[in-house]
Amino acid sequence: MSTRENGSEEEPVIRDNRKIDPETGQVRQPKQAGEETGEQADQPSLADNLASIELATQLAERTADLQRLQAEYSNYRKRVERDRAAVREQAVAGALVELLPVLDDIGRARDHGELTGGFAKVSESLEAATGKLGLTTFGTKGEPFDPTVHEALIHSYSPDVTEPTCVEILQPGYRIGERVLRPARVAVAEPEEPAAGDN
């Protein structure tokens, strides 16, 4: 079976390492350190290996620097967006806080039946605009008293309640998102009056 049938088409490589040249009969000079044989020319030298290792190290360092810069920029962008949203929320909250007395007046006028005609349309428009900005009211009669969102102005005892309860809403509370702009001002009733001898 020939080498071509075997699948190998390369010619065999013959290296002549004899000290005497068979054609001239002369003694061959040993190869100098700088001279390379055909086999050595195919292999990278130590300097080439060191250069490629140095390039790979520099590439890894630059890649790490770029990844770090990208992460820093991403964090900076997120922080700026978060700060921008917080500033916007503060500005909206500041403007809405100034409108709360007007909304209280509109609520009192509605309670007394004085909210009629063009004034009713203006009040509806104002309430719709503040609603679009995220302003919501809270505080309803009969809900449990929560000191984080309610401000107790009147305190009493009642057999009709089983826990501290808002029995009257004197002024509604307002919030924007989770932020309370003004607590609801309420009258609170507790289950029973303590005995006279208790401290």
Side-chain angles (χ1 to χ4, degrees), residues 137-193:
T137 61
F138 65 91
T140 56
K141 188 175 179 178
E143 70 184 4
F145 176 73
D146 180 359
T148 61
V149 294
H150 297 123
E151 182 179 339
L153 299 181
I154 301 173
H155 179 265
S156 63
Y157 296 96
S158 171
D160 299 334
V161 297
T162 57
E163 61 179 341
T165 305
C166 301
V167 292
E168 192 69 39
I169 304 300
L170 306 174
Q171 210 173 31
Y174 291 97
R175 69 168 51 116
I176 180 169
E178 296 299 315
R179 181 178 174 182
V180 175
L181 297 181
R182 184 181 76 192
R185 294 176 176 147
V186 298
V188 180
E190 287 190 82
E192 60 183 20
E193 190 169 351

Side-chain angles (χ1 to χ4, degrees), residues 92-101 135 179 181-182:
V92 169
L96 290 175
V97 164
E98 297 300 321
L99 291 174
L100 295 184
L135 185 70
R179 181 178 174 182
L181 297 181
R182 184 181 76 192

Side-chain angles (χ1 to χ4, degrees), residues 97-127:
V97 164
E98 297 300 321
L99 291 174
L100 295 184
V102 177
L103 293 173
D104 289 337
D105 291 341
I106 289 172
R108 282 191 286 275
R110 183 179 290 120
D111 291 343
H112 290 101
E114 297 175 6
L115 199 60
T116 59
F119 185 60
K121 296 291 182 191
V122 171
S123 67
E124 289 172 7
S125 297
L126 180 63
E127 289 171 341

Side-chain angles (χ1 to χ4, degrees), residues 18-29:
R18 294 181 282 186
K19 295 187 181 199
I20 302 208
D21 188 349
E23 295 175 7
T24 63
Q26 300 290 326
V27 176
R28 292 183 176 163
Q29 296 297 323

